Amino acid sequence: MRVVGVGNTLRGDDGAGVVTADRLAELRPDLDVETCAGEVGTLLDLLDGEEPLVVIDALRSGGPAGRVRRFPDGALPPRREAGGTHDAGLGEALELAASLGRRPPSLTVIGIEGARYDLGVASLSPEVARACETLARELAGELTGASTGGLSATAE
Amino acid sequence: MTHRVPEGARDLSVAALARVEGEGAMRIRLRDGELEEVAFSIYEPPRFFEGLLAGRRMDEPVDITARICGICPIAYQISAARAIEAACGVTIDEGPIRELRRLIYCGEWIESHALHVYLLHAPDFLGYDSAIALAKDHQEVVEQGLALRKAGTELVRVIGGRASHPVNLRLGGFYRAPSPAELAGVRPLLEAAREQALATVRLVATFDFPELEIDHAFVSLKEEGRYPIDAGRLVASTGLDAPVAAFDEHIVEEHVERSTALHARLSGHDGTFMVGPLARYALAREDLSAVARSAADEVGLPAVVTNPYQSIVVRAVETLEAVEEALAIIDAYDEPDRPAVDVPARAGTGYGASEAPRGILTHRYTIDDDGIIVDARIVPPTAQNQLAVEGDLTSFIDDHRHLDDETLRWQLEQAIRNYDPCISCATHFLDLTVERE
């Protein structure tokens, strides 16, 4: 089991995935937890692993700030068409990984709805900060150890 | 994408250049066949971080600025460290610490260039709208890019402590220096990367390049005998040769009404200028390794490349250069006695510049006697290239206005991609605005 928090902690709620992952690592030092900025190459490397993978990322879907949603099997809803010139996001990385035949044995994406993504802001909105703490605690209780098991794939 | 077109006008816009709406956009208006407006505008995330740095301790920017860009954290870390060290009167221009910095920077170049060449730029030339589509038909091409990139990732991980968000860099050097054996462990990957990089040069040189000639001045760093990567003086094709400390005298930024971004000009030069692979290659071709130079010769790359679409070939040559340089540094590496030199605080202003994969990244810090940052300034490469990008778009449209909208838009997007713009620095989140619940 590997847990990856994706995001940028200097961009307001964009850091939700990283904050949650860091907190989870504090609560459960036995887990394999890491963070990444969401750069597509790194995401592809992570998706190439042989262990079940949980990815925690900030989500912008128009819902209330702090709402946590789970997407088992990495089944993200269709995203708005948007091509980056420089980088891609988790959605593209998943799609690219699939077309290359890369897929971890299981993949759960957990999205935390953010409210503000201001550049140069090193803090989360209060609702999002609370959601991160709650989610980290939930995952700490839910996830089994580094070598075995996985995550219950309960949707939403 | 196309909207509110006045009668008789063609309005091309690409709002989806960036991960976040409004962060980067290209707007082009043609009326009755005449070009009415070209605007390429971006927000520049680094600017927003300057305020965050003021009031912090001088050892913090190396960590904080690494988080500005997920693609080039090392560039931010090295420029930040060099600037603060300069403010404190410390220079690290030779010795094992400097070599280690250059080595990890080579890793970032390999990662970033491989990603851009294979996942972002090659699909344009091969007729695909994305790497995803390319991978479906030519998995081996994408796999080669990812394998090449991996050598860079491994270098960054071994020296930086982590592949993403490197944690081992600090003012004065590193928290821990890798052993020669650890570095030697990356050698097999780099040797494979040398072949992959050479194959990449040969592959991309066969692409068909849309015709476009540019006339921008070239600006890069320069160091005799070494291709500009982690350090150097500020030079230009105009004859400029100055220390990085004189950056503000030579690269002057001005506000432009339509954009929040500052537009940069080369002082004393009427035209536009560019930074990045084409500039480095034009100004430092003679400093390339024999292997990289002979690869460039083999594919007939001219000594000065003036078609920006050929930047993909220059990037491939630079990737080979980074691999060669990494191997040379590893072979000559002596573990330093101490992984970092002391950087005692003293009041002053310092500049630090390095060649991020997409061009010169300059940091300037003013600190007080207690080592607290009074003022910070970051000038990223994309900001410097903004006017050059607009110039390229204008020239291209002038010659290609007969193209239909879709083809024109695509080739213009490609023209922007020539610069590998750092539009999406610090932004990545999942965007799901069309979803209905």
Side-chain angles (χ1 to χ4, degrees):
Chain A
M1 168 63 59
R2 215 168 176 195
V3 181
V4 182
V6 180
N8 187 326
T9 51
L10 298 183
R11 210 197 147 116
D13 295 336
D14 191 52
V18 172
V19 169
T20 306
D22 285 345
R23 181 69 178 125
L24 177 61
E26 278 174 18
L27 295 168
R28 287 284 305 275
D30 59 310
L31 291 176
D32 180 359
V33 180
E34 53 193 297
T35 61
C36 93
E39 181 262 322
V40 69
T42 311
L43 289 171
L44 283 172
D45 288 344
L46 292 166
L47 290 165
D48 202 21
E50 288 176 6
E51 291 182 56
L53 183 66
V54 176
V55 177
I56 311 167
D57 198 355
L59 181 70
R60 192 172 73 161
S61 66
R67 182 178 65 172
V68 174
R69 301 174 66 191
R70 293 191 185 201
F71 305 102
D73 304 320
L76 298 176
R79 66 190 300 282
R80 188 182 64 151
E81 188 189 333
T85 61
H86 181 60
D87 197 7
L90 183 56
E92 288 97 325
L94 288 172
E95 220 182 315
L96 184 53
S99 59
L100 294 171
R102 297 181 175 198
R103 196 85 189 182
S106 88
L107 169 67
T108 301
V109 177
I110 303 177
I112 304 165
E113 188 78 27
R116 300 174 66 229
Y117 297 94
D118 299 319
L119 296 162
V121 173
S123 60
L124 300 173
S125 305
E127 307 89 327
V128 175
R130 281 195 294 276
C132 291
E133 177 66 23
T134 306
L135 176 60
R137 288 182 177 281
E138 270 174 30
L139 290 173
E142 204 176 320
L143 292 172
T144 48
S147 56
T148 57
L151 176 75
S152 64
T154 319
E156 317 254 332
Chain B
M1 283 202 203
T2 306
H3 54 92
R4 289 198 306 255
V5 185
E7 210 172 326
R10 292 164 79 190
D11 193 4
L12 294 177
S13 65
V14 178
L17 276 173
R19 312 271 316 134
V20 181
E21 228 171 307
E23 268 198 353
M26 171 181 89
R27 194 172 64 251
I28 286 158
R29 175 160 293 169
L30 290 155
R31 186 191 285 272
D32 301 328
E34 290 305 308
L35 184 60
E36 211 172 69
E37 185 189 11
V38 172
F40 168 65
S41 58
I42 52 164
Y43 283 123
E44 294 161 56
R47 305 259 174 230
F48 295 85
F49 297 95
E50 293 171 350
L52 190 72
L53 293 166
R56 302 246 181 187
R57 294 192 322 269
M58 70 179 198
D59 58 348
E60 293 186 85
V62 174
D63 292 325
I64 293 174
T65 62
R67 291 173 183 264
I68 292 178
C69 178
I71 309 261
C72 48
I74 303 296
Y76 276 92
Q77 295 192 291
I78 302 282
S79 287
R82 288 183 65 86
I84 293 164
E85 286 156 9
C88 297
V90 173
T91 47
I92 303 174
D93 282 341
E94 52 192 38
I97 292 173
R98 194 273 161 107
E99 295 307 300
L100 275 179
R101 282 182 168 174
R102 188 166 168 90
L103 183 57
I104 194 171
Y105 218 128
C106 287
E108 181 158 285
W109 269 35
I110 297 166
E111 281 188 289
S112 176
H113 276 358
L115 191 76
H116 188 265
V117 165
Y118 281 93
L119 297 191
L120 291 165
H121 222 182
D124 282 337
F125 293 101
L126 294 169
Y128 294 91
D129 65 0
S130 69
I132 297 162
L134 174 62
K136 282 175 185 153
D137 287 353
H138 297 286
Q139 184 171 343
E140 74 289 352
V141 173
V142 176
E143 292 286 6
Q144 173 160 283
L146 294 173
L148 174 56
R149 179 188 166 278
K150 198 156 186 65
T153 307
E154 194 56 14
L155 262 185
V156 172
R157 190 188 66 75
V158 166
I159 306 168
R162 290 203 302 202
S164 185
H165 293 160
V167 291
N168 191 31
L169 285 80
R170 51 168 291 184
L171 274 188
F174 296 84
Y175 289 101
R176 188 185 81 81
S179 68
E182 284 173 297
L183 293 185
V186 193
R187 236 189 167 283
L189 266 178
L190 285 167
E191 276 163 10
R194 174 157 51 192
E195 296 308 310
Q196 289 149 355
L198 186 56
T200 305
V201 175
R202 290 173 177 153
L203 169 72
V204 299
T206 64
F207 292 167
D208 285 329
F209 303 103
E211 282 177 25
L212 180 61
E213 288 296 310
I214 53 166
D215 188 26
H216 312 307
F218 293 123
V219 179
S220 82
L221 299 182
K222 174 87 175 170
E223 187 181 8
E224 295 314 317
R226 301 194 99 175
Y227 201 71
I229 299 177
D230 58 320
R233 303 186 313 279
L234 185 67
V235 300
S237 54
T238 55
L240 168 71
D241 186 337
V244 166
F247 184 85
D248 286 339
E249 291 166 35
H250 300 288
I251 306 295
V252 180
E253 294 189 297
E254 46 196 43
H255 277 285
V256 176
E257 258 181 46
R258 66 169 175 280
S259 166
T260 58
L262 294 167
H263 281 187
R265 290 200 173 274
L266 180 60
S267 180
H269 177 67
D270 288 338
T272 46
F273 78 98
M274 75 187 294
V275 297
L278 259 54
R280 291 190 292 252
Y281 177 75
L283 297 168
R285 185 180 193 281
E286 67 275 14
D287 300 317
L288 283 170
S289 64
V291 170
R293 205 165 48 234
S294 100
D297 287 341
E298 179 194 316
V299 300
L301 198 65
V304 177
V305 176
T306 51
N307 180 346
Y309 289 98
Q310 283 183 292
S311 60
I312 189 170
V313 187
V314 179
R315 252 177 222 106
V317 169
E318 286 196 336
T319 309
L320 181 56
E321 174 65 14
V323 171
E324 277 296 301
E325 181 69 1
L327 283 164
I329 293 173
I330 288 174
D331 287 347
Y333 176 65
D334 274 327
E335 192 174 334
D337 298 334
R338 293 170 58 214
V341 299
D342 292 333
V343 183
R346 75 168 197 203
T349 295
Y351 289 78
S354 64
E355 287 279 358
R358 43 204 58 74
I360 301 174
L361 168 66
T362 304
H363 288 220
R364 182 191 73 201
Y365 297 96
T366 300
I367 56 175
D368 67 16
D369 274 326
D370 299 321
I372 301 298
I373 295 164
V374 178
D375 178 63
R377 180 149 171 273
I378 298 172
V379 184
T382 301
Q384 298 171 72
N385 279 334
Q386 191 151 334
L387 289 175
V389 175
E390 280 189 8
D392 288 8
L393 297 175
T394 304
S395 307
F396 191 85
I397 294 162
D398 268 346
D399 296 340
H400 298 83
R401 64 186 68 182
H402 58 280
L403 294 173
D404 64 83
D405 281 8
E406 195 187 336
T407 311
L408 187 57
R409 181 185 295 122
W410 183 41
Q411 297 205 341
L412 291 173
E413 277 189 58
Q414 215 176 321
I416 295 173
R417 267 193 282 278
N418 289 334
Y419 290 81
D420 190 8
C422 217
I423 289 170
S424 62
C425 275
T427 69
H428 81 280
F429 48 76
L430 293 169
D431 201 331
L432 297 170
T433 48
V434 292
E435 191 200 356
R436 290 176 182 81
E437 295 185 52

